Structure formats: C-alpha cells, structure tokens
Amino acid sequence: MGPIARFKRSIIQLLAALLYNLNFEGFATGTIYQGDTKGVCVPGLNCYSCPGAIGACPIGSLQAALVASDQRLPLYIIGTILAFGALLGRTVCGWLCPFGFIQDLLDKVPLPKIRKGAWSRAFSWGKYVILFGLVIVAPIVLLNATGIGTPAFCAYLCPAGTLEAGIPLVAMNEDLRFMLGALFDWKVGVLVALLAVSLFVYRPFCRFFCPLGALYSFFNRFALLRYRVDEEACTSCGACLDVCKVDIRRVSDRECIQCGACVTSCKTSAIRFSLRDMLANNLHIDGSRRDDAPSEREEQRS
Amino acid sequence: MIRTARSNAHRALGLVLALALSLAALAGCSAPAAETDRGSAGSSGSANENGSAQAQKKAKVEEGVEAPDFEFETMDGQTAELSDYRGKVVVLTFWATWCGYCMRDMPELDKIDQAFDSVQIVAINRGDRNADAQAKAEELGYDFAWGLDEDGAIEALYPASGIPYTVVIDENGVVSTVFAGSAQDMYSYLEMAVTKAGA
C-alpha cells in the first residue's frame, strides 16, 4: 500500500475510534454514558464501559444477551453482528477497530519484528477457541453454576476493556477501588503483555485472541466491502502472500484483516477494493465482470 | 490530481465516516442530558455544553457530603423519606431483580442488618417495573426499608454508572462511604463501613 493510502487508513481508524467514544466528559468524571445510543453496537471492539463510549461492544453484548435473554437466541445482537459481517467482514478489523489501531501504531515502533510462520498460523486458531469457550460457553456455564452470567471474555481476558474502561474508570472514580484485587492485576498483566508483544509481533491480539475477528472471519470471503482478487488478472505469483503480515493463504480469506498492504505488491493490479469496482461500474456486486465494462487497455489508460 | 480507483474507494469511505461522525457529534452534544432525562424535574434542559451545568445543580455524592434527602414509595404504597432514618446508620443501596451482583449482596445486607442494631437498610429499586420489584422484595422477605423509583427521581440524585450502588450514611445524614459495585466478601466491607459510620 502506498504511503498516502496507508495514511488514509490510519485517519479512518482514528476517526472511528473518536466516533465510538464521543463522550469525552466521561473520562474527566470517571462515569459511563447512559444515553439511548448505548443500545446500538459499534462494529469494532470498543468496551461498553469505556467512559467515552456512546455505543455498545458487540462481543460484550453477545455475552450479556446469551445469559440474560428469555428467548433461546438473542436475535437483536446476532442480527447486528450478521449485518456488520455481511457488510464489512474483517474490514472492521483493518479500518474500524480502535484496539487494532493501537496495535498498528505499536507495530510502527522500530524494533526487530518476528515474522509470521507455521507457529503463527497455528496460533491463529486461538481466536476461535476463545470465541467458543469464553464468549459462548463460559457465560452459560457460569450462570448455571453461580447464578450470575459473567461475561467471561470481558471479565477474564479483554485487553481493550482494561485499557479503555478498567484503567480510566478506576483512575478517576475512587468508589470503585475497593473491588481491586487479583483479577484486576491479571487483566492489567494481560494488557501489558499484549502491548509489549505488539512491539515485536504484528497485531497479536487480532490474529490469535480476538473473538470478534473470529466472528467476522466467517464473512470475510463474501462481505460487500472488502479487497478482491481479479482472477483474470492474477498470475498466482504469491507476491501478496509474501508482503502480507498476517497468516493468509489467499487475499480476503479468514485471516485477512483487509488492510490493503498487498495491493501495491501486485504487478497486474489484480487486488482491488470491492467498492472501487462497483463505483467504477466494472463489476457486478458479486464480482463478475459487467458486459459494458471498459476493456483492460482502456482501464490502464484511465 | 489523478483519481486512481483506489482513492475513489477511500474517498467514499471517508465521506461516509465523516457524515456519521457529524451525526454522532450532534448526538454526543446531548449526552449529558441523557443521564437525568428520566423524570428529574428541570435539570435536563440546560446541560448542553458538558456536564458542568448538571454538576452545579447537585453535589457529587461522596464522603463528607450531606446525603441528598428524598421521598420514596414503599412496597405497600405508603411514602417515606430518607431523613426518617436520621439517628441510625443508613445503608442505602440501589438494586434490580436482573442484577446478579445486587442479588448476591442481599443476604450480606441482611446479615449486617441483623448484626448491628443501629443499622437500617434502605433498598431502592432501580430499573425494574414496580410489580417485579415488589414481587422480589416479598420473595426475599428481608426486613429492609424497600423502596421504588420508577420515574428515576431518586436516581437523578444518586447517579451511578451501574448497580449495585451502595452509600453508607452516618446518623447525621452525612455520607461516610460509597461502594460503586460489589466485591466477593462484601460483608467485611459493609462491616468496616458501618463501623466507620458509628454503628
């Protein structure tokens, strides 16, 4: 991806982080926003309890709904996640997630980087384990065992929650501090460890731990807004796989975070964002070429 | 400027986000009013810039401050006031039937109530319909001063980011300790707090 395009993605990531957290006064007072928009999920991993948050976290909401709902399936939250997935897939990860953004920034620090390999491809399964184990099963098990449906991912793992919510709230609101104990120490430890690892490994949380990324990954191959490979132009040279920092086997597969770093590596310009093609009227919505699309020669000239 | 296809996509995405940002910024401007729009007379109107207008209208509930007095509806339709319990150490707690940690606190509160003669538990419901709150109070059967707050007037005086929210008030009506939550061994914290308040 060219430097200007990379900068634009960073700007959008920053805008998204600000958009999710417009309640700036919450940081000053150590309280959370309680208006009506908190009933709407933001697409990225942004803690409901972040003092600035004006929306809800999809993963937090999913856990809460699983143990609170009288219905068998929490339809509203599942529908919301389906909608984000179908529209964006893991474009959320690459463009609209504040915690992804923080890891991107840490990656810019000039330290030796540990490249991907078989080890990282293996660890990439971790996020599905966490999705199934901590987000879906654990709250239900805990509800039956203790009478309280603890959102296990939020409570025991989520570093985004610790960074955005736990630490700011505890710093500003002394009435919370009596509860601090081993669990808080553990959560802060997890956060510090992940931030430290992010200096040497690209986006470790997104690749190995994030249950939201795991959910969106199911949609990544067919989301409306994502990078696509023009199979006619692709020569299978593998340049995109080489330059990619996560563990894709193909562009836009379940590991792809839609960051676009592969685009400039392609010598035949086969990798394009789906929106561009639709706007330029070259492709139908399903990726097939329109009959009235200009020929490739004309395209290269324009 | 050469409009590459890629920058078209980015421009469109940026436009959409800018639009959404502007809309949300408008929503965000009214954020401070949201906390008190559930019925507290008059304090929701002018708080537009930030929370400071709201803060001037009522003092933050913290140690050393006089606990705001209020009238509440009891479970059998009578009314009572917080100040009725002056002379006792009041453990004022806000709870809901769907709040797991509030329900976990209930037996602990009862134990404190039994252990200290001069302690009075005032348990005001927050976030339930009256019928549900009444049913739960009857089911639990504890000898608390149960109260209802369906219109949120009391919540406006004791705002909190969540429940359980417990305020320990000394015999003179002054706030002694505030617990913004519940811990595993809540009894020991309550015991320390009521002792500190003079029970």
Side-chain angles (χ1 to χ4, degrees):
Chain A
M1 210 181 203
I4 293 174
R6 272 204 305 272
F7 181 67
K8 283 181 182 172
R9 183 168 78 90
S10 296
I11 291 292
I12 289 175
Q13 286 176 296
L14 180 64
L15 280 179
L18 288 174
L19 186 70
Y20 301 163
N21 295 293
L22 286 175
N23 187 43
F24 303 131
E25 67 147 324
F27 287 104
T29 58
T31 56
I32 67 174
Y33 179 64
Q34 297 182 69
D36 290 338
T37 54
K38 289 303 275 294
V40 178
C41 288
V42 298
L45 201 74
N46 196 75
C47 188
Y48 178 95
S49 297
C50 174
I54 58 160
C57 173
I59 288 290
S61 303
L62 179 61
Q63 290 163 92
L66 278 170
V67 290
S69 183
D70 295 327
Q71 308 163 268
R72 229 159 280 149
L73 273 182
L75 294 175
Y76 170 58
I77 178 60
I78 288 181
T80 299
I81 292 177
L82 277 173
F84 286 142
L87 179 68
L88 294 162
R90 292 196 79 179
T91 304
V92 175
C93 305
W95 297 73
L96 301 174
C97 180
F99 201 65
F101 183 43
I102 287 167
Q103 289 168 89
D104 279 345
L105 292 175
L106 289 171
D107 182 59
K108 291 191 199 300
V109 175
L111 283 167
K113 307 292 174 187
I114 304 174
R115 274 196 56 97
K116 62 180 178 182
W119 68 273
S120 56
R121 186 133 184 111
F123 276 170
S124 299
W125 288 104
K127 53 184 178 294
Y128 299 99
V129 172
I130 286 173
L131 172 65
F132 183 69
L134 278 183
V135 174
I136 297 173
V137 169
I140 296 171
V141 166
L142 287 169
L143 178 68
N144 289 329
T146 68
I148 297 178
T150 306
F153 173 75
C154 309
Y156 301 124
L157 190 64
C158 186
T162 310
L163 181 66
E164 295 181 328
I167 291 172
L169 285 174
V170 162
M172 298 307 300
N173 188 346
E174 62 179 345
D175 304 332
L176 291 167
R177 290 180 204 152
F178 77 102
M179 290 184 281
L180 300 184
L183 180 60
F184 187 73
D185 293 342
W186 163 256
K187 293 291 292 299
V188 172
V190 167
L191 171 67
V192 169
L194 269 164
L195 294 178
V197 170
S198 298
L199 293 167
F200 305 98
V201 176
Y202 183 63
R203 287 211 184 203
F205 179 75
C206 310
R207 294 158 72 191
F208 310 143
F209 297 102
C210 185
L212 190 56
L215 273 172
Y216 289 146
S217 75
F218 299 130
F219 300 89
N220 218 18
R221 286 188 168 276
F222 50 81
L224 205 60
L225 298 177
R226 62 183 172 89
Y227 283 96
R228 270 202 297 243
V229 177
D230 183 350
E231 299 300 340
E232 287 171 27
C234 174
T235 61
S236 303
C237 71
C240 51
L241 300 181
D242 282 340
V243 86
C244 176
K245 289 162 127 175
V246 303
D247 308 85
I248 61 168
R249 287 248 162 86
R250 303 173 51 126
V251 171
S252 244
D253 71 4
R254 63 170 169 83
E255 291 304 318
C256 175
I257 56 166
Q258 309 287 355
C259 72
C262 53
V263 172
T264 43
S265 73
C266 182
K267 302 294 178 284
T268 60
S269 300
I271 304 172
R272 296 189 296 271
F273 198 70
S274 60
L275 190 64
R276 170 258 176 179
D277 281 339
M278 284 185 255
L279 288 176
N281 295 317
N282 287 342
L283 301 182
H284 287 286
I285 220 163
D286 65 354
S288 61
R289 209 168 173 76
R290 285 171 65 117
D291 295 328
D292 56 345
S295 74
E296 292 201 2
R297 277 208 149 238
E298 287 166 1
E299 233 181 51
Q300 276 165 10
R301 230 183 285 131
S302 69
Chain B
M1 177 187 149
I2 298 172
R3 287 187 167 219
T4 65
R6 199 158 61 246
S7 67
N8 269 335
H10 294 176
R11 193 174 297 107
L13 196 58
L15 192 65
V16 167
L17 247 151
L19 218 67
L21 179 69
S22 328
L23 287 171
L26 287 169
C29 284
S30 60
E35 252 182 76
T36 57
D37 67 353
R38 283 212 306 130
S40 144
S43 68
S44 58
S46 56
N48 243 350
E49 286 309 309
N50 48 50
S52 64
Q54 195 172 280
Q56 284 155 19
K57 290 173 163 59
K58 56 182 181 290
K60 181 175 175 336
V61 174
E62 59 189 345
E63 186 180 347
V65 157
E66 188 174 324
D69 194 14
F70 56 85
E71 197 178 83
F72 64 94
E73 189 188 331
T74 64
M75 293 302 179
D76 52 7
Q78 312 291 328
T79 52
E81 285 181 7
L82 179 67
S83 46
D84 291 346
Y85 303 101
R86 283 279 164 99
K88 289 203 145 196
V89 169
V90 171
V91 177
L92 171 64
T93 187
F94 297 93
W95 63 279
T97 60
W98 42 260
C99 165
Y101 297 104
C102 305
M103 293 299 109
R104 189 181 70 179
D105 272 359
M106 287 296 173
E108 312 290 285
L109 289 164
D110 186 49
K111 277 200 281 186
I112 280 282
D113 196 30
Q114 310 285 354
F116 290 86
D117 275 334
S118 53
V119 163
Q120 171 68 50
I121 313 289
V122 177
I124 307 291
N125 182 267
R126 176 178 293 194
D128 275 311
R129 282 182 299 227
N130 284 350
D132 296 328
Q134 283 159 333
K136 180 58 80 174
E138 202 172 297
E139 179 195 322
L140 291 170
Y142 297 133
D143 186 24
F144 300 164
W146 297 99
L148 299 164
D149 182 31
E150 214 177 25
D151 66 356
I154 305 172
E155 182 173 357
L157 294 172
Y158 292 86
S161 291
I163 48 176
Y165 180 68
T166 304
V167 182
V168 179
I169 305 167
D170 72 16
E171 291 143 352
N172 303 313
V174 174
V175 174
S176 176
T177 310
V178 179
F179 295 114
S182 164
Q184 283 276 30
D185 46 352
M186 198 59 197
Y187 181 83
S188 60
Y189 290 103
L190 289 169
E191 189 181 43
M192 272 194 294
V194 299
T195 309
K196 175 183 162 211

